Each structure stands twice: as C-alpha cells, then as structure tokens.
C-alpha cells in the first residue's frame, strides 16, 4: 500500500523538507522536480535541508521541459513577438510562474538577459492551474512552467506554446 501526500508550494521545497525530516527507514519516498536540489540551494539561504546529505536519488521518472505558453488569442504569435513587445514597452510583458526560485523563474531571467529586455515575473502560489487561469483571463501575458501542465489547454485550442527548453 502507498499513501500519497501532495505537499505543494515554494517550488517543491515544502514537500522536500517533509521528506528530509522523515525517519530514514526506507519507507518514505519523495518525488520532486530538480529545482528542489539545484536552484533552490542557491536561491533560498535558509533551505531546511541539504540535498547531498538528506536525499538519495533513485532515478529519473520524467522529463518536464519548461515552456512559454500564451492564450490562443494572444497578440504574441511567436517568442520573437513577445521579445519585440518587451523591447518596445519595457516592463509591460508579464509572465506567470510557480514561485520565486523555481526553474521557471530562472528561465525567464535567462530569456530576459539573452534578449536584453525586461520581462516582469509574476509569481503565483497553489500550482500551475492558477497561472493558466490568469493567462486565459488576460491577467498575465504568458505562462512559464512545465509542459505537462499546459497540454490539456493546448489540445483544447485554448493555449499555444511559444518556446520550450527541450523537445
């Protein structure tokens, strides 16, 4: 038997903290994104765990590329369109993401630096559903997050993916 406890928040570090504090008896497994043991280490000074000491990796279960997604009716037809808009009106292009310090946050920074334009980060809590709703409702221009969280909306024709970190 398995008992699943979904502990979302803080880019996965809340759940990782629970796993790190669990008794080391072989009965507790954690499944989280790589940001929990990579970017979180440098972005959260008081991280309540040490990834090298507190976890033993068992394997990779899935690859989740980070994507930039927009509503189907978005003015942006391509990533170049989004960058051009940010260049024309600095600070006006907004991108929702699952919390500060996540891979999605870092990817927006990398894009901003590479393109030489500011893209406004809009962190959300409570999972990617809130961001998708904000994109569909026009509160933010784009979504930066893992591809699987958008697949249903893309297949339904409600969203489009402008770019991906991998295939």
């Amino acid at each position: 038997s398995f008992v699943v406890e979904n502990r979302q928040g803080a880019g996965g570090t809340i759940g990782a903290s629970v796993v790190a504090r669990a008794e080391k008896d072989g009965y507790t497994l954690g499944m989280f994104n790589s940001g929990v043991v990579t970017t979180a280490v440098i972005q959260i000074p008081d991280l309540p765990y040490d990834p090298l000491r507190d976890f033993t990796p068992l394997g990779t279960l899935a690859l989740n590329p980070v994507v930039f997604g927009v509503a189907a009716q978005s003015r942006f037809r391509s990533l170049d369109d989004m960058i051009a808009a940010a260049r024309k009106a600095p600070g006006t292009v907004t991108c929702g993401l699952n919390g500060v310090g996540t891979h999605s946050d870092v990817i927006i920074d990398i894009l901003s630096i590479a393109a030489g334009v500011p893209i406004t980060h809009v962190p959300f809590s409570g999972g990617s559903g809130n961001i998708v709703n904000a994109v569909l409702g026009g509160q933010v221009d784009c979504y930066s997050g893992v591809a699987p969280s958008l697949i249903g909306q893309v297949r339904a024709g409600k969203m489009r993916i402008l770019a991906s970190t991998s295939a």
Side-chain angles (χ1 to χ4, degrees), residues 37-117:
V37 295
T38 57
T39 54
V41 176
I42 57 172
Q43 292 185 319
I44 303 172
D46 56 345
L47 195 63
Y49 57 84
D50 177 333
L52 297 176
R53 181 193 68 226
D54 294 331
F55 305 121
T56 302
L58 299 177
T60 300
L61 296 178
L63 298 176
N64 285 325
V66 174
V67 297
F68 286 102
V70 296
Q73 72 277 12
S74 171
R75 61 188 166 130
F76 306 132
R77 305 306 298 164
S78 67
L79 187 61
D80 287 338
D81 287 348
M82 191 170 90
I83 291 169
R87 192 166 282 128
K88 184 176 180 180
T92 62
V93 173
T94 58
C95 202
L97 59 124
N98 279 318
V100 176
T102 62
H103 276 78
S104 301
D105 189 26
V106 173
I107 294 294
I108 296 170
D109 281 337
I110 291 169
L111 176 63
S112 293
I113 291 166
V117 297

Side-chain angles (χ1 to χ4, degrees), residues 116-127:
V117 297
I119 297 172
T120 302
H121 301 225
V122 182
F124 282 75
S125 61

